[in-house]
Amino acid sequence: MGVSLKDVALRAGVSVKTVSNVVNAYPHVTPETRARVQRAIDELGYRPNLTARHLRKGRTGIIALAVPELGNPYFAEVAGAVIDAAALHEQIVLLDHTAGLREKEALVSQGFRAHLIDGLILSPIQLEAEDLLARTGGPPMVLLGEREYDAPYDHIAIDNVAAARAAVRHLLDLGRRHIAFLGARQESARQPAHLRLRGWRQEITASGGVARDALVAATEGYDRRDGAVAMAALLDRGERLDAVFAYNDVVALGAMRALSERGLRVPQDVAVVGFDDVEEGRYAAVSLTTVAPDKHEIARLAVDCLLERIAAGSRQAAPPPRRIRPGHRLVVRESTAGAGRRF
Amino acid sequence: MGVSLKDVALRAGVSVKTVSNVVNAYPHVTPETRARVQRAIDELGYRPNLTARHLRKGRTGIIALAVPELGNPYFAEVAGAVIDAAALHEQIVLLDHTAGLREKEALVSQGFRAHLIDGLILSPIQLEAEDLLARTGGPPMVLLGEREYDAPYDHIAIDNVAAARAAVRHLLDLGRRHIAFLGARQESARQPAHLRLRGWRQEITASGGVARDALVAATEGYDRRDGAVAMAALLDRGERLDAVFAYNDVVALGAMRALSERGLRVPQDVAVVGFDDVEEGRYAAVSLTTVAPDKHEIARLAVDCLLERIAAGSRQAAPPPRRIRPGHRLVVRESTAGAGRRF
DNA sequence: CTGAAAGCGCTTACAG
DNA sequence: CTGAAAGCGCTTACAG
């Protein structure tokens, strides 16, 4: 059905090689030949068949991005940034979501769609190091996010401990002394929020305070409902608290909702800090103070890194696995300072 | 580098055809042969090369989804639902965003990545009918969303006029008589929010009221900031109003933020209704009443419809373009009723 | 500067 | 039930 190189060659009266040369902007073609071929291309409405090209070249120009949940605006925003970053390199993004399920994450990391994709950017939540070690073959992979592994893969993540410490520092500077952490998983052993929790602990301890486990609230997942439920549970337990540092923005937003249902004011009664800087937090009734990772830098680094790995795939010297730290900053808004900036 | 059918065939001592038969679960293979081939596959770690299969079959198993903006949670949620619906049919989703730009929408509709995708689901905002008519060739396409066209494409959209009328009806039933519409584009000629605006107008008129143009607030785009800016402008003009019907939830949320900055209470002073039922609206400080389209049904219908078109592509009788109406309902929450349900 | 030919890895009539 | 062979549409050494 489609028009092939051969059809164009026939029409232009040249070989397919010459048409291919024109299509691929190969420099050494006489202007006359080029013009003749171009005319044939236009007349026939020829479009290169990417599948065939890919089969031949062994690369597809497609990279996969697997995030836990598109319903979490942080991942939606990152996905958008990755699509844009990839487009700069004429790469297309195949999007997958894992629901934060270990099996799904493992499946994806195992090269679920190998041969279809040149590489994979994975943002794991539950994946364990052993899953990664079990990985054999499969295309190049770059990891994103807080989880860290002793496995030979590039990892792009802001300094989560430092960022968490800065957030807690900010609350301490405000005079808050009873700072809860919201968003630890139930099972203490496998703790995705490990680094942020550690930052919370370290900063409180460094300030001479006591990081009380009773102020660490477990959640099942990391969405708004989890935040609301955990916050309510903490309040029901009668814990005394004057601040909350949440694992991420949506958990923080859910918590704020629970606070207001209890008649507690933010920030007067309880100051709240989130993590992610999603658009939504800026327009909340009380705008949300948050740790803002540079999402565009994260996306750019992830794509660049992955493409580098893909290019190196054929050659000998691949660089050793890297840990790359994009920038981040604390954005102070109303949820910690009545007079903070609004947006 | 990879292991091919031929390698497996060599190892198993059969022809590639036989291996292919086993891989594709062709029934007429003797158990012994099958077992032998399977063993060779396992030992070699063979994985079919999808690119080659696609080249041969003329289908790639990839469908593209183009939405305006992943930063808008409605589209992120729909994208997630489409990915899930596609996975049910073993189809993979390539995601693109158009930023709601006409050129980008036109580019995508023109079969930007033809040959790479079997079909396209497009959610246009600015695209005009002439762009669609200019479309020649390209893979099957299904349209999503409020815009309607006189062009031969399947279109999946809830009844926007009826849904808008129900929302306005709800406000009227509450006794509100000065209902603003938020989210019309500046340029009156090309009006993406056409149907919802029409619903607003019809219902007010039907109730014996007057649909005043002064209560229609223009926005540049359709995000939170646009909602906040438009709401502020309306209030600055001194318009008397006691309710707002917004083009979508994020516009409504932005408007609520602007209202609270002015010291106006929702719903006591101004009742607010949105459109989309994004997760975020349920957890807003004042939870948002909204029109809830059935996103999963939308996704399912879009994928089914597209796959049907793809399958029919080769055959003669393709069904005529259809207009399909998924379900929707009005979800009443705190922004219109203090005693409404919270989530 | 251009052409003829091989081959990427698969599926599929066509034989047997 | 299985095999030998062609071909999907492209790129790329290799000649000339």
Side-chain angles (χ1 to χ4, degrees), chain B residues 277-289:
Chain B
D277 190 27
V278 300
E279 176 84 4
E280 173 177 354
R282 295 176 213 183
Y283 288 88
V286 175
S287 63
L288 182 64
T289 293

Side-chain angles (χ1 to χ4, degrees), chain A residues 58-306:
Chain A
R59 281 185 54 176
T60 63
I62 303 177
I63 62 183
L65 170 66
V67 297
E69 187 58 67
L70 242 19
N72 180 329
Y74 174 73
F75 293 115
E77 291 174 18
V78 166
V82 167
I83 289 174
D84 292 339
L88 254 37
H89 298 276
E90 290 170 321
Q91 297 289 305
I92 297 174
V93 176
L94 216 148
L95 196 55
D96 226 325
H97 52 189
T98 60
L101 261 30
R102 181 178 171 183
E103 313 84 68
K104 190 78 197 293
E105 291 177 350
L107 182 70
V108 166
S109 78
Q110 240 97 73
F112 178 33
R113 270 139 194 183
H115 284 305
L116 226 188
I117 61 174
D118 292 338
L120 168 69
I121 299 173
L122 171 64
S123 177
I125 291 220
Q126 302 257 47
L127 198 72
E128 295 301 325
E130 61 219 67
D131 298 316
L132 245 26
L133 264 5
R135 185 176 203 255
T136 82
M141 176 167 77
V142 169
L143 265 16
L144 235 50
E146 176 172 19
R147 295 293 313 258
E148 297 196 326
Y149 301 93
D150 278 326
Y153 295 103
D154 291 333
H155 186 130
I156 319 277
I158 65 168
D159 186 336
N160 277 276
V161 175
R165 290 191 65 158
V168 173
R169 175 82 261 150
H170 170 63
L171 290 168
L172 289 167
D173 287 346
L174 257 30
R176 309 291 165 138
R177 289 297 175 267
H178 307 281
I179 305 172
F181 181 88
L182 232 65
R185 279 279 166 97
Q186 304 282 8
E187 343 77 87
S188 55
R190 307 192 181 283
Q191 190 58 268
H194 192 61
L195 300 176
R196 296 178 194 175
L197 181 57
R198 186 191 301 168
W200 169 84
R201 205 179 297 279
Q202 283 184 3
E203 192 64 29
I204 291 176
T205 307
S207 77
V210 178
R212 296 180 52 223
D213 280 341
L215 284 179
V216 176
T219 56
E220 261 186 57
Y222 294 114
D223 65 19
R224 297 171 190 82
R225 202 167 67 82
D226 295 310
V229 169
M231 188 76 245
L234 217 47
L235 295 172
D236 286 346
R237 285 214 311 259
E239 293 297 342
R240 178 176 164 202
L241 54 88
D242 54 17
V244 168
F245 173 44
Y247 172 70
N248 70 16
D249 278 1
V250 287
V251 165
L253 261 356
M256 279 166 66
R257 167 82 207 184
L259 286 167
S260 92
E261 283 176 14
R262 293 283 200 290
L264 292 167
R265 293 162 307 162
V266 175
Q268 296 88 337
D269 300 318
V270 179
V272 177
V273 178
F275 206 110
D276 283 351
D277 190 27
V278 301
E279 176 85 4
E280 173 177 354
R282 295 177 214 183
Y283 289 87
V286 175
S287 62
L288 182 63
T289 294
T290 190
V291 172
D294 188 331
K295 300 185 196 84
H296 290 281
E297 190 185 0
I298 289 173
R300 192 171 48 70
L301 288 168
V303 169
D304 289 353
C305 220
L306 184 60

Side-chain angles (χ1 to χ4, degrees), chain B:
Chain B
M1 32 177 270
V3 180
S4 75
L5 267 192
K6 194 159 69 168
D7 301 322
V8 176
L10 237 48
R11 176 131 189 163
V14 298
S15 78
V16 294
K17 171 67 160 67
T18 303
V19 179
S20 178
N21 283 344
V22 171
V23 170
N24 294 295
Y26 181 70
H28 307 296
V29 181
T30 54
E32 304 84 72
T33 311
R34 182 182 303 281
R36 193 143 42 92
V37 170
Q38 191 57 55
R39 184 143 23 87
I41 287 175
D42 294 341
E43 287 168 0
L44 262 30
Y46 168 76
R47 298 261 191 76
N49 181 325
L50 300 183
T51 302
R53 179 179 291 174
H54 296 156
L55 173 59
R56 182 55 232 244
K57 301 189 83 151
R59 281 185 54 175
T60 64
I62 303 178
I63 63 182
L65 170 67
V67 298
E69 187 59 65
L70 241 21
N72 180 329
Y74 175 72
F75 293 115
E77 290 175 17
V78 166
V82 167
I83 289 174
D84 292 339
L88 254 38
H89 299 275
E90 290 168 319
Q91 299 288 306
I92 297 173
V93 176
L94 214 148
L95 196 56
D96 227 324
H97 52 188
T98 61
L101 263 29
R102 181 178 171 182
E103 312 85 67
K104 190 79 198 293
E105 291 178 350
L107 181 71
V108 166
S109 78
Q110 240 96 76
F112 178 33
R113 270 140 194 184
H115 283 306
L116 225 187
I117 59 175
D118 292 337
L120 168 69
I121 299 173
L122 171 65
S123 177
I125 290 220
Q126 301 258 47
L127 197 73
E128 295 301 325
E130 60 219 67
D131 297 316
L132 244 28
L133 265 4
R135 185 176 201 257
T136 83
M141 177 167 76
V142 168
L143 264 17
L144 235 51
E146 175 171 19
R147 295 293 314 257
E148 295 195 327
Y149 302 93
D150 278 326
Y153 295 102
D154 291 333
H155 186 132
I156 319 277
I158 65 168
D159 185 336
N160 277 276
V161 176
R165 290 191 66 159
V168 172
R169 175 82 261 150
H170 169 62
L171 291 168
L172 290 167
D173 287 346
L174 257 29
R176 309 293 165 137
R177 287 298 174 268
H178 307 281
I179 305 172
F181 181 87
L182 231 65
R185 278 280 166 96
Q186 305 281 8
E187 342 76 87
S188 56
R190 308 191 179 283
Q191 190 58 269
H194 192 61
L195 300 176
R196 295 178 194 175
L197 181 57
R198 186 191 302 168
W200 170 84
R201 204 179 299 279
Q202 283 183 4
E203 191 63 29
I204 291 175
T205 307
S207 76
V210 177
R212 295 179 53 220
D213 281 340
L215 284 180
V216 177
T219 56
E220 262 186 56
Y222 294 113
D223 65 18
R224 296 171 190 81
R225 201 168 67 83
D226 296 310
V229 169
M231 188 75 245
L234 217 49
L235 294 172
D236 286 345
R237 285 214 310 261
E239 293 297 341
R240 178 176 164 203
L241 54 87
D242 53 17
V244 168
F245 173 44
Y247 172 69
N248 69 18
D249 279 0
V250 287
V251 166
L253 261 354
M256 279 166 67
R257 166 82 206 183
L259 287 167
S260 92
E261 282 176 15
R262 293 282 200 292
L264 292 166
R265 293 161 308 162
V266 175
Q268 295 88 336
D269 300 318
V270 180
V272 177
V273 179
F275 207 110
D276 282 351
D277 190 27
V278 300
E279 176 84 4
E280 173 177 354
R282 295 176 213 183
Y283 288 88
V286 175
S287 63
L288 182 64
T289 293
T290 190
V291 173
D294 188 332
K295 301 185 196 84
H296 290 281
E297 190 186 1
I298 290 174
R300 191 172 48 71
L301 288 168
V303 169
D304 289 353
C305 219
L306 185 60
L307 292 180
E308 204 179 313
R309 290 280 169 201
I310 293 170
S314 36
R315 290 200 308 274
Q316 297 292 11
R322 291 159 293 185
R323 184 144 306 172
I324 300 177
R325 299 238 170 274
H328 65 86
R329 65 204 173 85
L330 186 71
V331 181
V332 177
R333 299 204 187 95
E334 295 166 350
S335 70
T336 58
R341 66 166 126 161
R342 279 181 164 153
F343 300 120

Side-chain angles (χ1 to χ4, degrees), chain A residues 14-15 17-18 28-30 33 55-56:
Chain A
V14 298
S15 77
K17 171 66 160 66
T18 302
H28 307 297
V29 181
T30 55
T33 311
L55 173 58
R56 182 55 232 245

